[in-house]
Amino acid sequence: IASLAAATKNIRLGTGTVNLPNSHPAAVAGQIAMLDHMLDGRLNFGISPGGLASDAEVFGIGLYMKLNDSSYLTSLIIFIVS
């Protein structure tokens, strides 16, 4: 992303999605805010309730969390207010 950001001025850049319940939402919010600032507000960012099977095994969760799952909703709230 850094190379593209340096070579362009108008193109929006993205990271893909983050499986938010498997990452600390406040830390993700801080990292995304810093990256968006470095890109002059050109960052596209997505949040996902699902992930890889290997992630599910490591974190002890199902492969896809339901959108109304309390840990997903809690993560979203923490991310938004951070």
Side-chain angles (χ1 to χ4, degrees):
I1 288 181
S3 297
L4 290 172
T8 64
K9 296 296 175 205
N10 297 320
I11 296 174
R12 295 193 60 80
L13 303 168
T15 63
T17 61
V18 171
N19 190 357
L20 194 58
N22 294 347
S23 306
H24 195 286
V28 172
Q31 293 166 354
I32 293 303
M34 180 175 51
L35 185 55
D36 190 48
H37 177 72
M38 292 169 57
L39 296 175
D40 296 323
R42 298 185 291 148
L43 179 67
N44 287 347
F45 171 71
I47 296 171
S48 169
L52 301 171
S54 58
D55 291 344
E57 287 179 29
V58 169
F59 290 102
I61 59 172
L63 183 56
Y64 292 98
M65 301 178 75
K66 293 185 167 118
L67 293 178
N68 63 353
D69 183 285
S70 64
S71 64
Y72 182 67
L73 293 176
T74 301
S75 295
L76 277 176
I77 290 168
I78 293 170
F79 179 81
I80 290 168
V81 299
S82 294

